[in-house]
Amino acid sequence: QVQLVESGGGLVQAGGSLRLSCAASGRTFSSYALGWFRQAPGKEREFVAAISKIGGTTFYKDSVKGRFTISRDNAKNTLYLQMNSLKPEDTAVYYCAARRDGVSTRVYTRTSQYDYWGQGTQVTVSS
């Protein structure tokens, strides 16, 4: 089992940047495929970015490609989301998620495919 804790959210002006972190407990962090999701008020939780358990494969929601970068540091048990050129429509609570996985290169984009979730961190982008 793994516990996830997000940090790094906040209020930023449009065009600005934030870096989210997701710290994981446990000694088997490298066994998990990871993802970032977000949920805006009144909307369903949606996929943002995913990374395979070794980190060789990444995948992004179309609207964040070229602006967001997902990465992981297995030695530090930490997942990151670098967010640049932020837009007001990026405003949401951001969640990290983990799935224990046996495939080193696979990524996952649906909420139902993940077993563990963090509590979320608020990102607000003002216009």
Side-chain angles (χ1 to χ4, degrees), residues 26-34 52-55 72-75 77 99-101 103-104:
R27 295 177 292 178
T28 59
F29 183 71
S30 61
S31 299
Y32 292 84
L34 304 170
S52 60
K53 70 176 190 177
I54 302 300
R72 64 189 296 166
D73 187 335
N74 286 345
N77 281 15
R99 171 194 170 100
R100 192 170 182 89
D101 195 44
V103 180
S104 64

mmCIF file of all heavy atoms in Angstrom, residues 26-34 52-55 72-75 77 99-101 103-104:
data_model
loop_
_atom_site.group_PDB
_atom_site.id
_atom_site.type_symbol
_atom_site.label_atom_id
_atom_site.label_comp_id
_atom_site.label_asym_id
_atom_site.label_seq_id
_atom_site.Cartn_x
_atom_site.Cartn_y
_atom_site.Cartn_z
ATOM 1 N N GLY A 26 6.362 4.355 1.691
ATOM 2 C CA GLY A 26 6.632 2.990 1.273
ATOM 3 C C GLY A 26 7.944 2.835 0.535
ATOM 4 O O GLY A 26 8.564 3.806 0.105
ATOM 5 N N ARG A 27 8.351 1.581 0.377
ATOM 6 C CA ARG A 27 9.654 1.291 -0.218
ATOM 7 C C ARG A 27 9.551 0.739 -1.626
ATOM 8 O O ARG A 27 10.548 0.330 -2.198
ATOM 9 C CB ARG A 27 10.386 0.287 0.666
ATOM 10 C CG ARG A 27 10.727 0.832 2.044
ATOM 11 C CD ARG A 27 11.386 -0.236 2.894
ATOM 12 N NE ARG A 27 10.439 -1.293 3.233
ATOM 13 C CZ ARG A 27 10.778 -2.365 3.941
ATOM 14 N NH1 ARG A 27 12.012 -2.536 4.346
ATOM 15 N NH2 ARG A 27 9.861 -3.276 4.232
ATOM 16 N N THR A 28 8.324 0.716 -2.191
ATOM 17 C CA THR A 28 8.143 0.125 -3.509
ATOM 18 C C THR A 28 7.615 1.139 -4.513
ATOM 19 O O THR A 28 6.886 0.799 -5.423
ATOM 20 C CB THR A 28 7.177 -1.069 -3.419
ATOM 21 O OG1 THR A 28 5.912 -0.614 -2.897
ATOM 22 C CG2 THR A 28 7.739 -2.155 -2.546
ATOM 23 N N PHE A 29 8.009 2.401 -4.333
ATOM 24 C CA PHE A 29 7.514 3.473 -5.206
ATOM 25 C C PHE A 29 7.746 3.155 -6.668
ATOM 26 O O PHE A 29 6.908 3.440 -7.514
ATOM 27 C CB PHE A 29 8.226 4.774 -4.810
ATOM 28 C CG PHE A 29 7.764 5.985 -5.565
ATOM 29 C CD1 PHE A 29 6.514 6.521 -5.341
ATOM 30 C CD2 PHE A 29 8.594 6.602 -6.488
ATOM 31 C CE1 PHE A 29 6.088 7.656 -6.013
ATOM 32 C CE2 PHE A 29 8.184 7.727 -7.168
ATOM 33 C CZ PHE A 29 6.934 8.257 -6.937
ATOM 34 N N SER A 30 8.862 2.561 -6.992
ATOM 35 C CA SER A 30 9.190 2.280 -8.393
ATOM 36 C C SER A 30 8.325 1.190 -8.995
ATOM 37 O O SER A 30 8.396 0.936 -10.198
ATOM 38 C CB SER A 30 10.665 1.896 -8.520
ATOM 39 O OG SER A 30 10.934 0.736 -7.766
ATOM 40 N N SER A 31 7.493 0.549 -8.176
ATOM 41 C CA SER A 31 6.588 -0.482 -8.682
ATOM 42 C C SER A 31 5.259 0.082 -9.167
ATOM 43 O O SER A 31 4.412 -0.665 -9.647
ATOM 44 C CB SER A 31 6.289 -1.509 -7.584
ATOM 45 O OG SER A 31 7.459 -2.154 -7.168
ATOM 46 N N TYR A 32 5.091 1.400 -9.040
ATOM 47 C CA TYR A 32 3.799 2.026 -9.329
ATOM 48 C C TYR A 32 3.863 2.898 -10.577
ATOM 49 O O TYR A 32 4.780 3.721 -10.727
ATOM 50 C CB TYR A 32 3.348 2.893 -8.158
ATOM 51 C CG TYR A 32 2.994 2.105 -6.915
ATOM 52 C CD1 TYR A 32 3.975 1.720 -6.021
ATOM 53 C CD2 TYR A 32 1.680 1.740 -6.670
ATOM 54 C CE1 TYR A 32 3.664 0.986 -4.890
ATOM 55 C CE2 TYR A 32 1.349 1.009 -5.536
ATOM 56 C CZ TYR A 32 2.344 0.635 -4.653
ATOM 57 O OH TYR A 32 2.027 -0.096 -3.550
ATOM 58 N N ALA A 33 2.871 2.728 -11.438
ATOM 59 C CA ALA A 33 2.618 3.721 -12.469
ATOM 60 C C ALA A 33 1.867 4.877 -11.808
ATOM 61 O O ALA A 33 1.049 4.660 -10.906
ATOM 62 C CB ALA A 33 1.785 3.126 -13.591
ATOM 63 N N LEU A 34 2.121 6.095 -12.259
ATOM 64 C CA LEU A 34 1.598 7.284 -11.575
ATOM 65 C C LEU A 34 0.880 8.215 -12.537
ATOM 66 O O LEU A 34 1.146 8.206 -13.748
ATOM 67 C CB LEU A 34 2.754 8.036 -10.920
ATOM 68 C CG LEU A 34 3.618 7.242 -9.946
ATOM 69 C CD1 LEU A 34 4.854 8.041 -9.558
ATOM 70 C CD2 LEU A 34 2.825 6.852 -8.713
ATOM 71 N N SER A 52 4.993 6.120 -16.642
ATOM 72 C CA SER A 52 5.166 4.707 -16.349
ATOM 73 C C SER A 52 6.040 4.515 -15.115
ATOM 74 O O SER A 52 6.684 5.448 -14.642
ATOM 75 C CB SER A 52 5.787 4.001 -17.551
ATOM 76 O OG SER A 52 7.047 4.574 -17.856
ATOM 77 N N LYS A 53 6.084 3.279 -14.610
ATOM 78 C CA LYS A 53 6.721 3.074 -13.316
ATOM 79 C C LYS A 53 8.225 3.312 -13.352
ATOM 80 O O LYS A 53 8.816 3.697 -12.347
ATOM 81 C CB LYS A 53 6.412 1.690 -12.773
ATOM 82 C CG LYS A 53 7.061 0.538 -13.502
ATOM 83 C CD LYS A 53 6.725 -0.752 -12.771
ATOM 84 C CE LYS A 53 7.519 -1.907 -13.299
ATOM 85 N NZ LYS A 53 7.256 -3.149 -12.543
ATOM 86 N N ILE A 54 8.855 3.120 -14.503
ATOM 87 C CA ILE A 54 10.273 3.404 -14.614
ATOM 88 C C ILE A 54 10.496 4.843 -15.075
ATOM 89 O O ILE A 54 11.549 5.430 -14.861
ATOM 90 C CB ILE A 54 10.956 2.412 -15.573
ATOM 91 C CG1 ILE A 54 10.735 0.988 -15.079
ATOM 92 C CG2 ILE A 54 12.445 2.704 -15.692
ATOM 93 C CD1 ILE A 54 11.288 0.729 -13.691
ATOM 94 N N GLY A 55 9.496 5.424 -15.682
ATOM 95 C CA GLY A 55 9.581 6.811 -16.116
ATOM 96 C C GLY A 55 9.892 6.994 -17.581
ATOM 97 O O GLY A 55 10.014 8.114 -18.057
ATOM 98 N N ARG A 72 9.304 11.865 -12.383
ATOM 99 C CA ARG A 72 9.358 11.164 -11.107
ATOM 100 C C ARG A 72 10.799 10.958 -10.701
ATOM 101 O O ARG A 72 11.682 10.808 -11.551
ATOM 102 C CB ARG A 72 8.613 9.828 -11.174
ATOM 103 C CG ARG A 72 9.221 8.825 -12.132
ATOM 104 C CD ARG A 72 8.312 7.611 -12.326
ATOM 105 N NE ARG A 72 8.153 6.857 -11.091
ATOM 106 C CZ ARG A 72 7.213 5.924 -10.922
ATOM 107 N NH1 ARG A 72 6.360 5.647 -11.894
ATOM 108 N NH2 ARG A 72 7.136 5.263 -9.780
ATOM 109 N N ASP A 73 11.018 10.919 -9.409
ATOM 110 C CA ASP A 73 12.329 10.611 -8.843
ATOM 111 C C ASP A 73 12.119 9.419 -7.923
ATOM 112 O O ASP A 73 11.664 9.569 -6.784
ATOM 113 C CB ASP A 73 12.886 11.815 -8.093
ATOM 114 C CG ASP A 73 14.314 11.601 -7.620
ATOM 115 O OD1 ASP A 73 14.719 10.436 -7.437
ATOM 116 O OD2 ASP A 73 15.013 12.595 -7.413
ATOM 117 N N ASN A 74 12.410 8.232 -8.411
ATOM 118 C CA ASN A 74 12.153 7.022 -7.629
ATOM 119 C C ASN A 74 13.047 6.952 -6.390
ATOM 120 O O ASN A 74 12.682 6.338 -5.394
ATOM 121 C CB ASN A 74 12.332 5.788 -8.499
ATOM 122 C CG ASN A 74 11.182 5.600 -9.480
ATOM 123 O OD1 ASN A 74 10.122 6.211 -9.340
ATOM 124 N ND2 ASN A 74 11.391 4.771 -10.487
ATOM 125 N N ALA A 75 14.209 7.574 -6.427
ATOM 126 C CA ALA A 75 15.084 7.586 -5.256
ATOM 127 C C ALA A 75 14.505 8.430 -4.128
ATOM 128 O O ALA A 75 14.766 8.181 -2.953
ATOM 129 C CB ALA A 75 16.458 8.112 -5.642
ATOM 130 N N ASN A 77 11.108 8.963 -3.929
ATOM 131 C CA ASN A 77 9.690 8.593 -3.792
ATOM 132 C C ASN A 77 8.776 9.782 -4.081
ATOM 133 O O ASN A 77 7.801 10.033 -3.353
ATOM 134 C CB ASN A 77 9.403 8.062 -2.378
ATOM 135 C CG ASN A 77 9.832 6.618 -2.195
ATOM 136 O OD1 ASN A 77 10.582 6.088 -3.016
ATOM 137 N ND2 ASN A 77 9.395 6.003 -1.124
ATOM 138 N N ARG A 99 -0.830 3.331 -9.216
ATOM 139 C CA ARG A 99 -1.333 2.005 -9.556
ATOM 140 C C ARG A 99 -0.151 1.053 -9.540
ATOM 141 O O ARG A 99 0.838 1.270 -10.262
ATOM 142 C CB ARG A 99 -1.976 2.011 -10.935
ATOM 143 C CG ARG A 99 -2.326 0.632 -11.460
ATOM 144 C CD ARG A 99 -2.626 0.665 -12.938
ATOM 145 N NE ARG A 99 -2.742 -0.677 -13.483
ATOM 146 C CZ ARG A 99 -3.902 -1.276 -13.716
ATOM 147 N NH1 ARG A 99 -5.033 -0.653 -13.480
ATOM 148 N NH2 ARG A 99 -3.932 -2.485 -14.215
ATOM 149 N N ARG A 100 -0.270 0.010 -8.725
ATOM 150 C CA ARG A 100 0.786 -0.987 -8.718
ATOM 151 C C ARG A 100 0.771 -1.704 -10.069
ATOM 152 O O ARG A 100 -0.293 -2.145 -10.521
ATOM 153 C CB ARG A 100 0.595 -1.974 -7.583
ATOM 154 C CG ARG A 100 1.813 -2.848 -7.342
ATOM 155 C CD ARG A 100 1.685 -3.639 -6.080
ATOM 156 N NE ARG A 100 2.871 -4.429 -5.819
ATOM 157 C CZ ARG A 100 3.919 -4.011 -5.151
ATOM 158 N NH1 ARG A 100 3.929 -2.771 -4.662
ATOM 159 N NH2 ARG A 100 4.957 -4.775 -4.950
ATOM 160 N N ASP A 101 1.909 -1.781 -10.716
ATOM 161 C CA ASP A 101 1.909 -2.246 -12.103
ATOM 162 C C ASP A 101 3.090 -3.153 -12.392
ATOM 163 O O ASP A 101 4.183 -2.944 -11.872
ATOM 164 C CB ASP A 101 1.953 -1.031 -13.027
ATOM 165 C CG ASP A 101 1.590 -1.374 -14.443
ATOM 166 O OD1 ASP A 101 0.612 -2.126 -14.635
ATOM 167 O OD2 ASP A 101 2.278 -0.917 -15.358
ATOM 168 N N VAL A 103 4.018 -3.739 -15.607
ATOM 169 C CA VAL A 103 4.529 -3.397 -16.940
ATOM 170 C C VAL A 103 5.325 -2.100 -16.840
ATOM 171 O O VAL A 103 4.806 -1.081 -16.413
ATOM 172 C CB VAL A 103 3.376 -3.226 -17.938
ATOM 173 C CG1 VAL A 103 3.921 -2.876 -19.317
ATOM 174 C CG2 VAL A 103 2.534 -4.487 -17.984
ATOM 175 N N SER A 104 6.567 -2.119 -17.229
ATOM 176 C CA SER A 104 7.437 -0.975 -16.990
ATOM 177 C C SER A 104 7.137 0.215 -17.881
ATOM 178 O O SER A 104 7.481 1.333 -17.548
ATOM 179 C CB SER A 104 8.892 -1.376 -17.168
ATOM 180 O OG SER A 104 9.114 -1.768 -18.514
#
